[in-house]
Amino acid sequence: MVYSKNIVLGVSGGIAAYKACSLASKLTQQGANVKVIMTDNAMKFVTPLTFQALTRNPVYTDTFDEKDPERIAHIDVADWADIIIIAPATANIIGKLANGIADDMLSTVLLATQADVYIAPAMNVHMYAHSAVIKNMQTLVEWGYHFIEPGSGYLACGYVGKGRLEEPEQIIQTIEVHQQKKAQLFLKGKQMLISAGPTQEKIDPVRYFTNRSSGKMGFAIAEAAANAGASVTLVAGPSQMQVQHHQIERVDVTTAEEMYEAMLEHATKSDIIIKAAAVADYRPSITYDHKMKKQPGPLYLEMERTRDILQTLGDQKEDQFLVGFAAETETPIENGYKKLQKKNLDAIIVNDISLEGAGFSGDTNAVTYLNKQGREEKLALNTKQVIAEQIVKLIHEDLEGQ
Ligand code: CTP
C-alpha cells in the first residue's frame, strides 16, 4: 500500500530522529516516493544529507527557502503528499498542530495538506502523560489524525516507560492496514437510495396481487454499498429479509404507489439510486374494504397502470447516478439497452430470469451490467452477495470515470 505513494516524512527534534532514517530508508525500499521535512531541532540530531541520500530527494528545512519561483514549496509539497508521517513527533509539534500554529516548514505543511496524517510520538514518559499533551492528542484524534502509539521500554532520558518511538516496520504496517481499510470504503460520503422486494396491490382485505421477488438482490446491494462506506436508504416492499448494517435506514412500503412516494422523497438528496424492486405494473382499479364473496361464473377484475417510478426518476434526474434492473426472458441485452435509453438511466442490470440459477427468489443470480457508454460486463452465476459486491464496484468505477 505504501508502494508508489507520495509520502512526506516530518521529522521533529528528538533523539528518535535516528530511527526516522531507518523509516525513510524502508519506505523508499518499498517503492514509496519519500520527501523529508526536518524541523530546526531535528537537524541537531541528524543531518538533511542523511535523508537526502536515503530518499534521493531534496530535504525541506526552511519555509522560505523557495528554490523554484514557479511554485510555493510548502503548498506544493502539501498537495503532493498522499500520506504524511510525523516520526518522531515531539510534544512541541503535537501542540503546534493541535493549536493551529504554523511557524516552520513542517507545521505549515501540516495545516495546508489534505493528506492522511499519521503521528508517531516519541518523548519522555512524564511528558507523554502530561495533561496538555493528552488534551492536544485528543483534539487531533477528534479532527481525524491517526496516532501510532509509542512503545514502552528504555527511554534515552534514562526512564523506562511509554514514550519510545514505535519501530519503523511497525509504523509502516500500521499505515498499510489503515490504508487498506480505507480503500475498501470507496463509497464513503455517498448517499445511496435502493429499492428492493415486490409490491403488493390490494384487491380486498385478504387478497392482493404480487410477484415472486424475495428482495434478496436489493438487500444484498444495500449491504454491499454500506460495507463500502455509503449511507444507504433502503425502500423495501414486503420481504422477510433483515437489514444487518447500521448504515442502512430501512423504509417499509407495501404498494407501488407507496414506493413511488418514498423513492421520490429521498431521490434529490441521493448520489446513487438503484431500483432493484420488482414493482407491479398494474393494480386493481377498485379495491374492496370487505372480503369479496364468490359469485357464479368467471370473475373479471379491471386493472389500471401504476406509475413507473424509474421512468419518473429518469425524467427528473439532475446529477444522480441512476441504475435500473430489467427482468427479461427474451433478447435480454437488446431489451436492457432499450430500457436504459427510454428511462434515461446511467446503467442497467439485466436479469435473464429464464436462466437456471438466475432471477427472483433464489440465492444466486447471473446478470449483465450495461452502462450508457456501451460498457457490457457479464457477471457470471454467483451468490447474490458476490453479485452485489461486483455491481457496487462497477457503479463506483463508472462514477469515477464520469
Ligand atoms: N419499475 C419501476 N416502476 C414500475 C415498474 C418498473 O420503477 N412501475 C422499475 C423496476 O424497479 C426496474 C425497471 O423499472 O428497475 C424495469 O422493470 P421491468 O419490470 O424489467 O420492466 P418494465 O419497465 O416494467 O417494462 P416491461 O414490462 O415492458 O418489461
Side-chain angles (χ1 to χ4, degrees), residues 208-395:
Y208 52 78
F209 285 101
T210 190
N211 60 63
R212 291 179 53 220
S213 168
S214 60
K216 284 178 187 162
M217 195 64 243
F219 275 68
I221 295 173
E223 292 288 333
N227 286 337
S231 299
V232 180
T233 302
L234 176 64
V235 176
S239 164
Q240 302 295 320
M241 300 295 294
Q242 298 292 322
V243 159
Q244 311 290 345
H245 204 292
H246 67 278
Q247 253 168 235
I248 303 175
E249 184 210 348
R250 178 175 180 162
V251 179
D252 283 310
V253 295
T254 306
T255 63
E257 189 58 23
E258 284 169 16
M259 188 171 277
Y260 180 97
E261 298 290 343
M263 291 298 285
L264 269 279
E265 186 192 325
H266 290 92
T268 44
K269 52 180 185 279
S270 303
D271 302 301
I272 303 164
I273 304 175
I274 307 179
K275 195 75 200 48
V279 189
D281 290 325
Y282 295 93
R283 65 172 165 239
S285 306
I286 301 168
T287 58
Y288 296 92
D289 291 335
H290 56 273
K291 185 178 167 228
M292 280 171 73
K293 286 286 179 198
K294 62 178 170 296
Q295 306 286 342
L299 168 72
Y300 298 97
L301 277 178
E302 192 188 79
M303 305 287 277
E304 64 184 15
R305 286 286 299 272
T306 57
R307 293 198 271 188
D308 191 322
I309 306 166
L310 192 58
Q311 184 72 58
T312 311
L313 293 171
D315 293 341
Q316 297 183 357
K317 187 152 82 80
E318 288 162 355
D319 48 9
Q320 298 96 345
F321 191 89
L322 184 59
V323 185
F325 265 72
E328 303 291 341
T329 51
E330 288 151 301
T331 55
I333 303 294
E334 207 182 303
N335 284 335
Y337 269 123
K338 276 191 201 150
K339 275 185 195 167
L340 182 148
Q341 273 160 0
K342 181 166 171 283
K343 300 195 183 191
N344 190 26
L345 309 179
D346 295 283
I348 194 158
I349 295 147
V350 184
N351 223 328
D352 183 348
I353 49 176
S354 64
L355 287 178
E356 182 83 18
F360 272 29
S361 48
D363 290 328
T364 57
N365 210 355
V367 301
T368 306
Y369 177 94
L370 308 175
N371 77 6
K372 67 172 177 209
Q373 287 82 19
R375 180 178 187 186
E376 200 174 307
E377 298 280 349
K378 279 204 179 326
L379 307 181
L381 188 69
N382 217 319
T383 61
K384 285 186 172 168
Q385 279 71 28
V386 172
I387 299 281
E389 282 163 19
Q390 292 170 330
I391 289 171
V392 165
K393 279 195 187 125
L394 286 166
I395 291 171

Side-chain angles (χ1 to χ4, degrees), residues 93-285:
I93 189 74
I94 291 171
K96 283 205 268 187
L97 185 55
N99 290 284
I101 296 169
D103 64 353
D104 64 2
M105 182 70 177
L106 180 55
S107 49
T108 310
V109 167
L110 285 169
L111 291 196
T113 193
Q114 300 277 315
D116 290 333
V117 179
Y118 297 90
I119 304 171
M123 65 194 78
N124 163 273
V125 63
H126 299 313
M127 287 175 82
Y128 190 65
H130 194 285
S131 307
V133 176
I134 292 173
K135 184 169 168 276
N136 287 335
M137 291 198 293
Q138 278 167 350
T139 303
L140 293 175
V141 168
E142 275 165 32
W143 289 350
Y145 290 90
H146 313 285
F147 275 84
I148 301 173
E149 283 208 20
S152 292
Y154 179 78
L155 302 177
C157 52
Y159 281 96
V160 174
K162 208 166 181 182
R164 199 171 70 173
L165 181 68
E166 187 52 282
E167 295 306 319
E169 296 81 1
Q170 196 53 48
I171 292 178
I172 296 175
Q173 212 208 323
T174 308
I175 293 170
E176 297 251 349
V177 170
H178 181 259
Q179 288 286 312
Q180 246 154 25
K181 275 202 197 132
K182 202 182 147 196
Q184 284 160 8
L185 297 180
F186 53 84
L187 288 179
K188 199 170 163 55
K190 294 275 184 240
Q191 199 65 46
M192 203 135 165
L193 176 62
I194 300 169
S195 74
T199 61
Q200 286 177 358
E201 309 303 329
K202 185 179 163 189
I203 304 167
D204 70 13
V206 294
R207 302 180 182 96
Y208 52 78
F209 285 101
T210 190
N211 60 63
R212 291 179 53 220
S213 168
S214 60
K216 284 178 187 162
M217 195 64 243
F219 275 68
I221 295 173
E223 292 288 333
N227 286 337
S231 299
V232 180
T233 302
L234 176 64
V235 176
S239 164
Q240 302 295 320
M241 300 295 294
Q242 298 292 322
V243 159
Q244 311 290 345
H245 204 292
H246 67 278
Q247 253 168 235
I248 303 175
E249 184 210 348
R250 178 175 180 162
V251 179
D252 283 310
V253 295
T254 306
T255 63
E257 189 58 23
E258 284 169 16
M259 188 171 277
Y260 180 97
E261 298 290 343
M263 291 298 285
L264 269 279
E265 186 192 325
H266 290 92
T268 44
K269 52 180 185 279
S270 303
D271 302 301
I272 303 164
I273 304 175
I274 307 179
K275 195 75 200 48
V279 189
D281 290 325
Y282 295 93
R283 65 172 165 239
S285 306

